[in-house]
Amino acid sequence: MPPHPNIVSLKGTYEDDNGVHLVMELCEGGELFDRIIAKGHYTERAAAGVTKTIVEVIQMCHKHGVMHRDLKPENFLFANKKETGALKAIDFGLSVFFKLGSEQGVAQAIIKYVVDFKRDPWPKKLGHQIADADLQILMGVGDVDKDGFLNYGEFVPISIHLRKMGNDDHLKDAFAFFDKNQSGYIEVEELREALADEDEANNEEVISAIIHDVDTDKDGKISFEEFTTMMKTGTDWRKASRQYSRERYNNLSLKLFQDASLDLGNEER
């Protein structure tokens, strides 16, 4: 990186028998984070000035093909303790280079940043593919205050649940919730017990539909392998019968969500 008034400078490098030592510019003003905490809040004008500096630093980095990747208040230091002290970006330990390219065919050549999203650092290989219907169920459970949004405290338990449901140990716990007699199968009577709190006339039709949909070897019961396939491939109770109301499917899914695999209070602390 070329010299820039808002990027910490490297003064020199020295090597001894134990390692290479980097001597950086001294910034006595402390972190932007600490100054924000000390102030309590910034005026709109002051915040705009800080934001402008940060954007200029990002622009400078990108102009030279550098992606910082760790921008946060802790990684900006003030040169001195004065209110007008220069704000400087530090800690390029996670930064990477990326290639610059050009795009033609418009009124004038436009420079663009070409980032290969198939290569590091962009493949964020985390996440889950969730059917819309399942997402609605999770929202119904997680959105405790029913404001239509998930705050941090509501989102974390759902994330933990999804991660657990991809783990065979927790699938075993979920399976055991239904397999009350520990026979290794979810049987008709156990499904009947799971639906016992729902006073509906067509419970038997629903049970038959679930067995028909999930019981791939047609032995009249659901093995752990069949249950695992159902959970991992997205087949769910709702697909088992068109006659089963959405509300009642939600109730059954919530029962699994709340009682089977989610002992979050104790395990995730």
Side-chain angles (χ1 to χ4, degrees), residues 72-221:
K72 56 187 178 182
E74 294 90 333
N75 282 342
F76 284 88
L77 300 182
F78 286 95
N80 53 59
K81 296 182 180 181
K82 296 180 180 180
E83 189 67 28
T84 57
L87 185 63
K88 296 176 180 285
I90 65 168
D91 196 353
F92 284 74
L94 294 179
S95 63
V96 294
F97 290 103
F98 65 95
K99 295 181 180 179
L100 297 174
S102 63
E103 184 178 77
Q104 305 295 332
V106 290
Q108 60 181 6
I110 297 175
I111 301 300
K112 69 174 184 178
Y113 303 127
V114 179
V115 182
D116 185 354
F117 288 98
K118 295 181 180 180
R119 302 182 63 180
D120 289 338
W122 297 110
K124 313 309 186 205
K125 296 179 181 179
L126 299 175
H128 304 269
Q129 295 297 321
I130 308 175
D132 288 343
D134 294 328
L135 186 60
Q136 292 300 322
I137 287 179
L138 291 175
M139 278 295 296
V141 174
D143 184 17
V144 177
D145 56 13
K146 305 304 178 186
D147 63 353
F149 300 92
L150 295 180
N151 60 34
Y152 178 77
E154 294 168 336
F155 174 76
V156 169
I158 287 181
S159 300
I160 295 171
H161 169 68
L162 291 175
R163 188 175 72 248
K164 283 185 172 185
M165 292 313 293
N167 180 297
D168 285 345
D169 289 339
H170 293 288
L171 284 173
K172 290 176 182 177
D173 293 338
F175 182 80
F177 167 74
F178 292 99
D179 182 21
K180 300 297 187 182
N181 63 8
Q182 300 182 358
S183 66
Y185 296 91
I186 299 175
E187 299 163 343
V188 171
E189 185 57 37
E190 290 167 329
L191 282 177
R192 186 174 290 118
E193 181 180 346
L195 296 173
D197 60 345
E198 300 183 22
D199 187 17
E200 294 286 343
N202 66 338
N203 274 3
E204 294 303 319
E205 296 177 13
V206 172
I207 291 170
S208 296
I210 291 174
I211 291 291
H212 180 272
D213 189 69
V214 182
D215 176 26
T216 55
D217 63 7
K218 305 306 177 185
D219 62 355
K221 52 191 176 183

